[in-house]
Amino acid sequence: MQIYSTDHFGLPLPPGHRFPMAKYARLRDRVAAVAADLLAIPEAATPAQLSLVHDPAYVTAVMAGTLPQRALRRIGFPWSEAMVERSRRSVGATIAACRAALGAGCGISLAGGTHHAHRDFGGGFCVFNDAAVAARVMQTEGRAARILIVDLDVHQGDGTAAIFADDASVFTLSLHGRDNFPFRKESSRLDVEFADGTGDDAYLSALAVALPTALAAARPDLAIYLAGADPFHGDRLGRLSLSKAGLAARDAQVFDALRARDVPVAVAMAGGYADAVDDIVDIHFATVTLALERYGATRVLEFSAKPRIRPALHVPRV
Ligand SMILES: [Zn+2]
């Protein structure tokens, strides 16, 4: 297993900005204390990789700093060279985590989950859609033909849903708050919506139905799991009411369902906006430690013995 960190590529934000940039370095520190040998720094996603999903004109505008102000306001970050580098490394981390997963059963990005990025615009702190690009890169490299995206961030994966709306090779599953951002929802292949205040039991029961349904329909070679920390009851933007134990049970359900079907998984951390950054880090770290428990080094042989998948005939829409 490999764990990819991107916190070396910080994003300069004005004071008081609500994006919790501090969580990434703290999470990497916690992971380094238990699995330093597994940590790696990913390559930046290339413009060609990004353009498998995104409008090449959008990719060029992001990289050149020529996005209009209203497009940047929708993203929520000021433009800088560092913002471009961080966004590219974050996508690179999910690509690398997918490759690691296909070799060893599981790969982890300590960032990612930028699911509000659409084909030709970003939004909600998301510049490029890491899971969508990684899915397309795995398909173009012939590593996986069918992919399941399990999006358990509290906000709907609207960008991902829209990108794959007409593509049966990538199944999008999203469990999210019904009355929360984004207020105009897209249609994922399977959406499960929760009322404000939904707690552990109702959430976990719904997940226990949704996961096997999605797996049966998707028949995936690879899953990408967005393990958002923002369904937590202490989250400022989440509006649901899951406990830390409930979120750990959620992660266990996902890993167990995928392992039972021998589906390798790439994990991205996605959102988390609790007042106390340590709460966010606790939740993400619990996801990482559970993955370390479930996917030990012994699984490398088992997964590498699987035959390579032929390159997909599917041609990405670009
Ligand atoms: Zn979120």
Side-chain angles (χ1 to χ4, degrees), residues 16 30 46 81-82 101 109-110 126-127 176 260 265 285 304:
R30 298 267 303 266
T46 64
E81 296 273 0
S109 162
L110 298 182
C126 304
V127 179
H176 52 265
V265 61
F285 183 65
S304 58

Side-chain angles (χ1 to χ4, degrees), residues 115-116 153-155 230 271 273:
H115 57 171
H116 301 308
D153 185 281
V154 81
H155 303 101
D230 49 11
Y273 310 93

